[in-house]
Amino acid sequence: MIYFRSDYSQGAHPKVMEALMKTNLEHTDGYGMDDHCRNAEKMIQTLIGDDDCHVHMMVGGTPCNVTFIAASLKPYESVVSVRSGHAYFHETGAVEATGHRIITMEGADGKLTPEMIDRAWEEYEDEHTPLPRLAYISQPTEIGTIYSKAEMTALSEKCREKDMLLYADGARLGCALTSRWNDLSIKELAGLCDAFYIGGTKNGALFGEAMVIKGSALNDHFRWMIKRQCGLLAKGRLIGVQFEALLDGGSESIYFEMAAHANKMADMLRESLSNMGIKFYSNSQTNQVFPIFPAGVAEQLAREIFFYKWAPEKDGMIPIRLVTAWGTKEDDVKAFLTAAGRLI
Amino acid sequence: MIYFRSDYSQGAHPKVMEALMKTNLEHTDGYGMDDHCRNAEKMIQTLIGDDDCHVHMMVGGTPCNVTFIAASLKPYESVVSVRSGHAYFHETGAVEATGHRIITMEGADGKLTPEMIDRAWEEYEDEHTPLPRLAYISQPTEIGTIYSKAEMTALSEKCREKDMLLYADGARLGCALTSRWNDLSIKELAGLCDAFYIGGTKNGALFGEAMVIKGSALNDHFRWMIKRQCGLLAKGRLIGVQFEALLDGGSESIYFEMAAHANKMADMLRESLSNMGIKFYSNSQTNQVFPIFPAGVAEQLAREIFFYKWAPEKDGMIPIRLVTAWGTKEDDVKAFLTAAGRLI
Amino acid sequence: MIYFRSDYSQGAHPKVMEALMKTNLEHTDGYGMDDHCRNAEKMIQTLIGDDDCHVHMMVGGTPCNVTFIAASLKPYESVVSVRSGHAYFHETGAVEATGHRIITMEGADGKLTPEMIDRAWEEYEDEHTPLPRLAYISQPTEIGTIYSKAEMTALSEKCREKDMLLYADGARLGCALTSRWNDLSIKELAGLCDAFYIGGTKNGALFGEAMVIKGSALNDHFRWMIKRQCGLLAKGRLIGVQFEALLDGGSESIYFEMAAHANKMADMLRESLSNMGIKFYSNSQTNQVFPIFPAGVAEQLAREIFFYKWAPEKDGMIPIRLVTAWGTKEDDVKAFLTAAGRLI
Amino acid sequence: MIYFRSDYSQGAHPKVMEALMKTNLEHTDGYGMDDHCRNAEKMIQTLIGDDDCHVHMMVGGTPCNVTFIAASLKPYESVVSVRSGHAYFHETGAVEATGHRIITMEGADGKLTPEMIDRAWEEYEDEHTPLPRLAYISQPTEIGTIYSKAEMTALSEKCREKDMLLYADGARLGCALTSRWNDLSIKELAGLCDAFYIGGTKNGALFGEAMVIKGSALNDHFRWMIKRQCGLLAKGRLIGVQFEALLDGGSESIYFEMAAHANKMADMLRESLSNMGIKFYSNSQTNQVFPIFPAGVAEQLAREIFFYKWAPEKDGMIPIRLVTAWGTKEDDVKAFLTAAGRLI
């Protein structure tokens, strides 16, 4: 059966597996204190052009989000995010579990804006209100849109004005960077944010993300926080080894190649569906596509193709989510389009 | 100077002070394990017609809200509230400090509706989303409106349907119960909620609230929770003694008399300002009045009268909040009206 | 019946009640932002000879301990205390509820020593262990002993050496300061600690403690923390008014007079019981006395006198706790001694 | 260089890698909702002879400990553990981070006893003390000792008597089960505990542990808790696949074979060192050996062999820790013994 349900349904890119096999019997120290992690850190420092940043190999995206927030906020400080933000919408209150509020803002296209930051501050009064201190965004967003350079710059400036941190969840960062609409390089993104992570899980790693923290102050005792939040992997090197493989070749590495492929497959879906007259739930610019089908058609498609329904049915129509990945085959895309074409 | 800034600006009703003086040299056991607290509990059981409920003497409203939420929710469960709810808007993230999210809903008149509960459940999916488990409301709301019997009944039914708890913040409960628009008795309210508190601080007590919990399951180890949340008063009897004085006479007690007086003063303000053509920020039915003045007028009034601005200036107009209380004098009301009449 | 069960069994010293009565109808702003609190702060600054310290009027001792710890520690930092320390032993895990460990040390006389701090650091390794950051002590201790000037100085120096904060729980500080064995003035104590509180509840206040924080860094956003931890009293002035009354006259105030009286009553008990050949569970130097009686005698005494058993029976003997207070009468002491003399 | 520093210094057993390679391109649903995880669960149910238990594939040991504790305790409940327990000693306060105290007991041989449980209850009083609710043990302990069937049975009975849960940290469970001193089968252990985990990371898995929870009540919404505590792996199947490989063949599987090998290597070290007259820090019965060397000898050994110092130097002697694993070669053991023999 054809699989468009997620970009973490398969294992890892063969080169990643190869690297894990090759290093399998090495003895190294635990908890990320090994040469592979150090090397991956250096590769990332080069990639983003910042030798002073700190890189931590993390097990998943939620641990990245939660550990950074818990580490960098004081107890009475809070996060600002769009309501559709992953840290709010799909992490079971893991941020609140560390004692911090997420102040939510409605955002039609999944993006946080400087105006929303201002609105959060309008709600702030004094010691009776938690202090907005960190803006949480995803690049790309949960619905596949990306921040342009101008948008990200404006957000970063607003954060500086308000003495707030800007944090970017990069679960699908590769797809943002290789989107054909993208004008924001990873170096520029790194320059505008205080911390972000480079997602591996959803882009060809077996598992793991590379957390990037800028400057020593924010990084202070961060490893203590990772352990306290249950996120320190004994064989930390596994993630270092994977990022060595993923980023080998820098901008020519499989990391970017895989993301570009996923985008290409999504573009194919988008264009063809659009040509069939299908409307979309969001103007996604990356590897997620949200076509809206008549409920009956969606039902039929679901018999041969794996995908998620994205929002409740309304007036007989239902948005579904198709996710492409490094392993998506052009034949899968064609098969989907054929099935959809047949049914509508 | 005239004071309309809050209903906790003065000490206590003379009868409360008298009771504290009279019992001052008694020796009793600490932490609310004394005859005054037991007696106050019985008086409240009688008042609400429920001998099986449990009453805890609490220091303030925030401790009531937070302790009950922390005690009755599992770690992955969350609260649903209107965004203007006190527990969300004015308690510095104290609920989130215990690890629970407050899911906020926009509510024009300050009230939570069954539809909002449904919306919270639409956002709920599975193990990736916190489970809505407690509906937090205030009676009256933060902007002075009250739930009618029909509204509260519908909300209660929706909560039961969804296996949720209904909790009412009664900081100004006296004013809700004595509002001339009220059709919901304290017995009925107690029948529809799982827990609520009878506010003392804002209605003539020196300090303290009476937390009412229905049934033994919800009350299990509640005293452990009060202590853990730092809310167990050594001389707990002080609150018991006050509630004995406040509720002496039941529905004829000073508790209801004071609240009725506060409402009467607010009604005077409302009617006279309305007659002057003043519009209001909310259709308050209790002891808070939210007239909207030209910014310049508000500025001038602030020179002789204490009150808070309630929301940002917009188009040259600004809503202010006037709060009346048991100690508000008719002369204060008249003085305000004279000043306002002179300026507009 | 005669009451030696606690020093918070009665209301307040008449002068405290008088001050509350006198100010009862004043209108003031809430949450401790009033002239009484400001005045009490100044009186305390003068008393301890430090104009730069910050004073917060708190509802109780547990809120003081927990709020300061939660405010001043980073998430991965911990507290060091003797196992008998109040914050560990009698606060239902309220410190851990804010996410911080209390590292306990066994201390025969209830006191924390520099050696224990060293031992806590021996257990510390790296990112796998929480970092000891705050030493929690009580002056006097839970079993009535007091730190001498030399002991407190050594502890303070050790804390500075280890970059730790020294915090003193002063629930019964008056009794330490007026103990006839005491050589440590409040100014000296204030000079050696980073924060402490001056206990009101157990020394003649109706309720309330004065939290003293030294320097602006530790005080940063402390009011946000008080609110978040549910400890901000709406009528905050009530505590300010009480401390004005308690400390009126400085070292000649009723605060010291009451504590000295409690100590005197305890000294009488100690000396007379000692003369009867009674042994003690602790060498208390303040208003708690811990005689060890044959279990049968303790049982008989309990029929006419209120007190707590302090530790389990062992070899037929049981330690009890007698607590004296500002309201203890010499006749009560004599009655106890007569009863004890009759029974042993 | 020879490596005795840990049992997680290498990757995975070749058969584990092979299984990951073989399944790498399969598409499965995420978060452990796949056939491999289901199959591994069934294999474990068969292994322990309990079809009603629930098995969760977890990323590491700390997430197992912390998630189960946070899921099964009420906020005012606490854990009892020996002070050397991993959850207390090497997890940076991760348990306290969820709001629960660990009550520590000194235990010379690393084991918790029924007497210690009794002592914890002696310290318990009422609402002023957190309630002991879960006994945390490791099998084997941090210092390599194992609970006999009699000891574990006594502990389990004491827990039932006190209405406490018994939880076993099985990071090195394989080595306990294959120790030549062991008389407690995994079925018996499962019968005596309420929950435990079967450690993979330290016994030949790439990473991951299998958390076993007995009965549906304790398992209620456990997946919500895993996500909230940041422990839900997107490609959860990775751990399922590994446990399929590890446990293939049941008691004849590589899981037991690898652990037996590690024990055998440790036995060789122990016997030979003992024959040389070396004393040990603990009577380890599993794959950790704690010889005590003259400090100078330890220093010299550290030049050619990787190991940790285990405790501070005392009287010129220092205990070190040697850990063997599935990948330890007999030649490594011999090389160590030769070096040690040469130096002492």
Side-chain angles (χ1 to χ4, degrees):
Chain A
M1 213 160 136
I2 299 168
Y3 210 95
F4 285 110
R5 199 173 276 174
S6 78
D7 34 14
Y8 45 87
S9 58
Q10 292 187 296
H13 188 283
K15 288 201 178 161
V16 170
M17 294 309 288
E18 198 185 299
L20 288 169
M21 288 298 281
K22 215 177 90 187
T23 57
N24 188 48
L25 294 184
E26 287 179 14
H27 284 280
T28 63
D29 274 352
Y31 306 108
M33 304 298 275
D34 62 89
D35 289 343
H36 295 291
C37 289
R38 246 171 253 129
N39 189 32
E41 181 177 48
K42 270 180 208 149
M43 291 167 77
I44 289 169
Q45 289 174 332
T46 303
L47 185 70
I48 67 171
D50 178 355
D51 287 355
D52 292 333
C53 76
H54 301 266
V55 181
H56 301 272
M57 298 298 147
M58 304 287 289
V59 172
T62 301
C64 288
N65 298 339
V66 172
T67 309
F68 185 74
I69 288 167
S72 60
L73 265 55
K74 287 173 190 147
Y76 52 87
E77 294 178 334
S78 58
V79 175
V80 181
S81 167
V82 290
R83 194 156 175 130
S84 59
H86 198 272
Y88 181 80
F89 221 81
H90 277 106
E91 302 186 353
T92 323
V95 167
E96 290 89 347
T98 68
H100 300 284
R101 171 177 296 173
I102 303 180
I103 301 169
T104 57
M105 295 288 158
E106 300 295 338
D109 61 355
K111 295 186 206 168
L112 194 72
T113 63
E115 291 66 36
M116 292 176 190
I117 305 275
D118 282 334
R119 224 178 305 147
W121 280 96
E122 274 167 29
E123 289 182 2
Y124 175 76
E125 286 176 6
D126 53 20
E127 61 261 52
H128 292 81
T129 32
L131 201 146
R133 172 79 172 131
L134 182 146
Y136 166 91
I137 61 168
S138 304
Q139 174 76 331
T141 69
E142 284 306 292
I143 51 173
T145 53
I146 58 174
Y147 289 84
S148 69
K149 195 197 291 194
E151 287 170 334
M152 189 75 88
T153 303
L155 201 51
S156 180
E157 280 167 4
K158 177 56 74 180
C159 285
R160 267 146 223 203
E161 175 197 327
K162 295 296 192 186
D163 195 23
M164 288 173 73
L165 299 169
L166 180 56
Y167 171 86
D169 182 330
R172 297 186 171 99
L173 186 58
C175 284
L177 294 169
T178 57
S179 164
R180 53 173 157 143
W181 293 275
N182 182 54
D183 70 347
L184 178 68
S185 73
I186 192 167
K187 280 185 177 138
E188 289 163 341
L189 179 134
L192 294 169
C193 294
D194 294 286
F196 65 101
Y197 75 85
I198 302 173
T201 300
K202 290 174 178 167
N203 193 28
L206 209 50
F207 69 97
E209 337 286 329
M211 176 88 208
V212 181
I213 299 178
K214 285 171 56 195
S216 295
L218 284 173
N219 195 54
D220 180 49
H221 283 89
F222 195 75
R223 286 177 59 76
W224 279 247
M225 286 302 296
I226 301 175
K227 183 64 193 171
R228 181 194 190 254
Q229 299 302 124
C230 305
L232 202 57
L233 194 69
K235 301 185 188 176
R237 73 145 185 248
L238 295 174
I239 311 175
V241 166
Q242 291 183 75
F243 271 91
E244 284 179 315
L246 288 168
L247 296 174
D248 184 29
S251 57
E252 305 299 309
S253 64
I254 55 168
Y255 189 78
F256 294 98
E257 191 187 285
M258 289 190 288
H261 173 79
N263 281 339
K264 193 180 153 198
M265 294 299 101
D267 287 346
M268 276 181 63
L269 284 167
R270 255 187 300 264
E271 281 167 30
S272 302
L273 289 169
S274 186
N275 289 341
M276 292 180 200
I278 300 293
K279 303 280 176 231
F280 296 90
Y281 178 81
S282 111
N283 293 319
S284 170
Q285 299 160 299
T286 50
N287 70 321
Q288 299 187 89
V289 186
F290 299 85
I292 303 172
F293 285 107
V297 172
E299 213 57 57
Q300 293 249 16
L301 284 169
R303 283 179 204 157
E304 9 182 347
I305 294 147
F306 281 107
F307 56 81
Y308 282 115
K309 294 175 186 171
W310 193 249
E313 187 182 325
K314 210 178 142 183
D315 305 330
M317 302 297 286
I318 193 157
I320 69 167
R321 184 183 76 157
L322 306 172
V323 190
T324 58
W326 64 275
T328 303
K329 292 179 193 139
E330 209 166 313
D331 282 351
D332 297 340
V333 172
K334 284 178 184 161
F336 180 88
L337 293 171
T338 304
R342 198 180 63 227
L343 289 164
I344 58 172
Chain B
M1 214 161 134
I2 298 167
Y3 210 95
F4 285 109
R5 200 173 275 175
S6 79
D7 33 15
Y8 45 85
S9 60
Q10 293 187 296
H13 188 284
K15 287 201 177 160
V16 170
M17 293 308 287
E18 197 185 298
L20 288 170
M21 289 298 279
K22 215 177 90 185
T23 57
N24 189 48
L25 294 184
E26 288 179 14
H27 284 281
T28 64
D29 273 352
Y31 306 108
M33 304 299 275
D34 62 90
D35 289 343
H36 295 290
C37 289
R38 243 170 256 131
N39 188 32
E41 182 179 47
K42 270 180 210 149
M43 291 167 77
I44 289 169
Q45 289 175 331
T46 303
L47 185 69
I48 68 171
D50 178 356
D51 287 354
D52 293 332
C53 76
H54 300 266
V55 182
H56 300 272
M57 297 297 149
M58 304 288 289
V59 171
T62 301
C64 288
N65 298 339
V66 172
T67 308
F68 185 74
I69 288 168
S72 60
L73 264 54
K74 287 173 190 144
Y76 52 87
E77 295 178 333
S78 57
V79 175
V80 181
S81 167
V82 291
R83 193 155 175 131
S84 58
H86 198 272
Y88 181 81
F89 221 82
H90 277 106
E91 301 186 356
T92 324
V95 167
E96 289 89 347
T98 69
H100 300 284
R101 170 176 296 172
I102 303 180
I103 300 169
T104 58
M105 295 288 158
E106 300 295 338
D109 61 356
K111 294 186 206 169
L112 194 73
T113 65
E115 291 67 36
M116 291 176 191
I117 305 276
D118 282 333
R119 225 180 302 148
W121 279 97
E122 274 166 30
E123 289 182 1
Y124 175 76
E125 286 177 5
D126 52 21
E127 60 262 52
H128 292 82
T129 31
L131 202 147
R133 173 79 172 131
L134 182 146
Y136 167 91
I137 62 168
S138 304
Q139 174 76 326
T141 69
E142 285 305 293
I143 51 173
T145 53
I146 57 174
Y147 289 83
S148 68
K149 194 197 292 193
E151 287 170 333
M152 189 74 88
T153 303
L155 201 51
S156 181
E157 281 167 3
K158 176 56 74 179
C159 285
R160 266 148 223 203
E161 174 198 328
K162 296 294 191 186
D163 194 24
M164 289 174 72
L165 299 169
L166 180 55
Y167 172 85
D169 181 331
R172 296 185 171 100
L173 186 58
C175 285
L177 294 170
T178 58
S179 164
R180 53 173 156 142
W181 292 276
N182 182 52
D183 69 348
L184 178 69
S185 73
I186 193 166
K187 280 185 176 135
E188 289 162 340
L189 178 133
L192 295 169
C193 295
D194 294 286
F196 65 100
Y197 74 86
I198 302 172
T201 300
K202 290 173 177 167
N203 193 29
L206 208 50
F207 68 98
E209 337 288 328
M211 176 86 208
V212 181
I213 300 179
K214 285 173 53 195
S216 294
L218 284 172
N219 193 55
D220 180 48
H221 283 90
F222 196 75
R223 287 176 58 78
W224 279 247
M225 287 302 296
I226 302 175
K227 182 63 193 172
R228 181 195 189 253
Q229 299 301 124
C230 305
L232 202 58
L233 194 69
K235 301 186 187 175
R237 75 150 187 242
L238 295 174
I239 311 175
V241 166
Q242 291 182 75
F243 271 90
E244 286 179 315
L246 288 168
L247 296 173
D248 185 30
S251 57
E252 305 299 310
S253 65
I254 54 168
Y255 189 79
F256 294 99
E257 189 186 286
M258 289 191 287
H261 173 79
N263 280 340
K264 192 179 156 201
M265 294 298 102
D267 287 345
M268 277 181 63
L269 283 167
R270 254 188 300 266
E271 281 167 29
S272 302
L273 289 169
S274 186
N275 290 341
M276 292 180 200
I278 299 292
K279 301 282 175 229
F280 297 90
Y281 177 81
S282 112
N283 293 319
S284 170
Q285 299 161 300
T286 50
N287 70 321
Q288 300 187 90
V289 186
F290 299 85
I292 302 173
F293 284 108
V297 172
E299 214 58 56
Q300 293 249 15
L301 285 169
R303 284 181 204 156
E304 11 182 345
I305 294 146
F306 280 107
F307 57 81
Y308 282 115
K309 294 175 186 172
W310 192 249
E313 186 181 327
K314 210 176 139 183
D315 305 328
M317 302 298 287
I318 193 158
I320 69 167
R321 185 183 76 158
L322 305 172
V323 191
T324 57
W326 64 275
T328 303
K329 291 176 191 144
E330 210 165 316
D331 283 351
D332 297 340
V333 172
K334 285 180 183 159
F336 180 87
L337 292 171
T338 305
R342 195 180 66 228
L343 289 164
I344 57 171
Chain C
M1 210 161 138
I2 298 168
Y3 210 94
F4 285 110
R5 200 174 274 176
S6 78
D7 34 15
Y8 45 85
S9 59
Q10 293 187 296
H13 189 282
K15 288 201 177 159
V16 170
M17 294 309 288
E18 196 185 298
L20 288 170
M21 289 298 281
K22 215 177 89 185
T23 58
N24 188 50
L25 294 184
E26 288 180 14
H27 284 283
T28 64
D29 273 353
Y31 305 108
M33 304 299 275
D34 63 89
D35 289 343
H36 295 291
C37 289
R38 244 171 255 128
N39 188 33
E41 181 178 47
K42 270 182 209 149
M43 290 167 78
I44 288 169
Q45 289 174 332
T46 303
L47 184 70
I48 69 170
D50 179 356
D51 287 355
D52 293 331
C53 76
H54 301 266
V55 181
H56 300 272
M57 297 298 149
M58 304 288 289
V59 171
T62 301
C64 287
N65 298 339
V66 172
T67 308
F68 185 74
I69 287 168
S72 59
L73 264 54
K74 286 171 191 147
Y76 53 86
E77 294 179 334
S78 58
V79 174
V80 181
S81 167
V82 290
R83 194 156 176 130
S84 59
H86 198 272
Y88 181 82
F89 222 82
H90 277 105
E91 302 186 355
T92 324
V95 167
E96 289 89 348
T98 68
H100 299 284
R101 171 176 296 173
I102 303 180
I103 300 169
T104 58
M105 296 288 158
E106 300 295 337
D109 61 355
K111 294 186 205 169
L112 194 72
T113 64
E115 291 67 37
M116 291 175 191
I117 304 275
D118 282 334
R119 225 179 303 149
W121 280 96
E122 274 166 29
E123 289 182 0
Y124 175 76
E125 285 176 7
D126 52 22
E127 60 262 52
H128 292 82
T129 32
L131 201 146
R133 173 79 172 129
L134 181 145
Y136 166 91
I137 61 168
S138 305
Q139 176 76 329
T141 69
E142 285 305 293
I143 51 173
T145 53
I146 57 174
Y147 288 85
S148 69
K149 194 197 292 192
E151 288 170 333
M152 189 74 88
T153 303
L155 201 52
S156 180
E157 280 167 4
K158 177 56 74 179
C159 285
R160 266 146 224 202
E161 175 198 326
K162 296 295 190 187
D163 194 23
M164 289 174 71
L165 299 169
L166 180 56
Y167 172 85
D169 182 330
R172 296 186 171 100
L173 186 58
C175 285
L177 293 169
T178 57
S179 164
R180 54 172 156 144
W181 292 276
N182 182 53
D183 69 348
L184 178 69
S185 73
I186 192 166
K187 280 185 177 137
E188 289 162 340
L189 178 134
L192 295 168
C193 294
D194 294 286
F196 64 101
Y197 76 85
I198 302 172
T201 300
K202 290 173 178 168
N203 192 29
L206 208 50
F207 69 97
E209 338 287 326
M211 177 86 208
V212 181
I213 299 178
K214 285 172 54 195
S216 295
L218 284 173
N219 194 55
D220 179 49
H221 283 89
F222 196 75
R223 286 176 59 77
W224 279 247
M225 287 302 297
I226 301 175
K227 182 64 193 171
R228 180 194 190 254
Q229 299 302 124
C230 305
L232 203 58
L233 194 70
K235 302 187 187 175
R237 74 148 185 243
L238 295 175
I239 311 175
V241 166
Q242 291 182 75
F243 271 91
E244 285 179 314
L246 288 168
L247 296 173
D248 185 30
S251 57
E252 305 298 309
S253 64
I254 55 168
Y255 188 79
F256 293 98
E257 190 186 286
M258 288 191 288
H261 173 80
N263 281 339
K264 192 179 156 199
M265 294 298 102
D267 287 346
M268 277 181 62
L269 283 167
R270 254 189 299 266
E271 281 167 30
S272 301
L273 289 168
S274 186
N275 289 341
M276 293 180 201
I278 299 291
K279 301 282 174 228
F280 297 90
Y281 178 80
S282 113
N283 293 319
S284 170
Q285 299 162 300
T286 49
N287 71 320
Q288 299 187 90
V289 186
F290 299 86
I292 303 172
F293 284 108
V297 172
E299 214 58 56
Q300 294 250 16
L301 284 169
R303 284 183 204 153
E304 10 183 344
I305 295 147
F306 280 107
F307 57 81
Y308 281 114
K309 293 174 187 173
W310 193 249
E313 186 182 325
K314 210 177 140 183
D315 304 329
M317 302 297 286
I318 193 159
I320 69 168
R321 185 183 76 158
L322 306 173
V323 191
T324 58
W326 64 274
T328 303
K329 291 176 193 145
E330 209 165 315
D331 282 352
D332 297 339
V333 172
K334 285 179 184 159
F336 179 87
L337 292 171
T338 304
R342 196 180 66 228
L343 289 163
I344 59 172
Chain D
M1 215 161 134
I2 299 167
Y3 210 95
F4 285 109
R5 200 173 275 174
S6 78
D7 34 15
Y8 45 86
S9 59
Q10 293 187 297
H13 188 283
K15 288 200 177 160
V16 169
M17 293 309 287
E18 197 185 298
L20 288 170
M21 288 299 280
K22 215 177 91 187
T23 58
N24 189 48
L25 294 184
E26 288 179 14
H27 285 282
T28 63
D29 274 353
Y31 305 109
M33 304 299 275
D34 62 90
D35 289 343
H36 296 290
C37 288
R38 244 170 254 129
N39 189 32
E41 182 177 48
K42 270 180 208 151
M43 290 167 77
I44 289 169
Q45 289 174 332
T46 303
L47 184 70
I48 68 172
D50 178 356
D51 288 354
D52 292 332
C53 75
H54 300 267
V55 181
H56 300 272
M57 297 296 148
M58 304 288 289
V59 172
T62 302
C64 288
N65 299 339
V66 172
T67 308
F68 185 74
I69 288 167
S72 60
L73 264 54
K74 287 173 190 145
Y76 52 87
E77 294 178 335
S78 58
V79 175
V80 181
S81 167
V82 290
R83 194 154 176 134
S84 59
H86 199 271
Y88 181 81
F89 221 81
H90 277 104
E91 302 186 354
T92 322
V95 167
E96 289 88 347
T98 68
H100 300 284
R101 171 176 296 173
I102 303 179
I103 300 169
T104 58
M105 294 289 158
E106 301 294 339
D109 61 356
K111 295 186 206 167
L112 194 73
T113 63
E115 291 67 36
M116 291 176 191
I117 304 275
D118 282 334
R119 226 178 303 148
W121 280 95
E122 274 167 29
E123 288 182 2
Y124 175 76
E125 286 176 5
D126 52 20
E127 61 262 53
H128 292 81
T129 32
L131 200 145
R133 172 79 171 131
L134 181 146
Y136 165 92
I137 61 168
S138 305
Q139 175 76 330
T141 69
E142 285 305 292
I143 52 173
T145 52
I146 57 174
Y147 290 84
S148 69
K149 193 195 293 193
E151 287 170 335
M152 189 74 88
T153 304
L155 202 51
S156 180
E157 281 168 3
K158 177 55 74 178
C159 285
R160 267 147 222 200
E161 175 198 327
K162 296 296 192 185
D163 194 23
M164 289 173 72
L165 300 169
L166 180 56
Y167 171 85
D169 182 330
R172 296 186 172 99
L173 186 58
C175 284
L177 294 169
T178 57
S179 164
R180 55 173 154 142
W181 292 276
N182 182 53
D183 70 347
L184 179 69
S185 73
I186 192 167
K187 281 188 175 133
E188 290 163 340
L189 178 134
L192 295 168
C193 295
D194 294 286
F196 65 100
Y197 75 86
I198 302 173
T201 300
K202 290 174 178 166
N203 192 29
L206 209 51
F207 69 97
E209 336 287 328
M211 176 87 206
V212 181
I213 299 179
K214 286 170 55 195
S216 295
L218 284 173
N219 194 54
D220 179 48
H221 283 88
F222 196 74
R223 287 176 59 77
W224 280 246
M225 287 303 295
I226 301 175
K227 182 65 193 169
R228 180 194 192 253
Q229 299 303 124
C230 305
L232 202 57
L233 195 68
K235 301 187 188 174
R237 73 151 188 238
L238 295 174
I239 311 175
V241 167
Q242 291 182 75
F243 271 91
E244 284 178 317
L246 288 168
L247 297 173
D248 184 30
S251 57
E252 304 299 308
S253 65
I254 55 168
Y255 189 79
F256 294 98
E257 191 186 286
M258 289 190 289
H261 173 78
N263 280 340
K264 192 179 153 199
M265 294 300 101
D267 286 346
M268 276 182 63
L269 284 167
R270 254 187 301 266
E271 280 167 31
S272 301
L273 289 168
S274 185
N275 289 340
M276 292 180 200
I278 300 293
K279 301 281 175 230
F280 297 90
Y281 178 80
S282 110
N283 292 320
S284 170
Q285 299 161 300
T286 50
N287 71 322
Q288 300 186 90
V289 186
F290 300 85
I292 303 173
F293 285 108
V297 172
E299 213 58 58
Q300 294 250 15
L301 284 169
R303 284 181 205 156
E304 7 181 347
I305 295 147
F306 281 107
F307 56 80
Y308 282 114
K309 295 176 186 171
W310 193 250
E313 187 182 326
K314 208 176 140 183
D315 306 329
M317 302 298 286
I318 192 158
I320 70 168
R321 184 183 76 159
L322 306 172
V323 190
T324 58
W326 63 277
T328 303
K329 291 176 192 142
E330 208 166 313
D331 282 352
D332 297 340
V333 172
K334 284 179 185 160
F336 180 87
L337 293 171
T338 304
R342 198 179 63 230
L343 289 163
I344 57 171

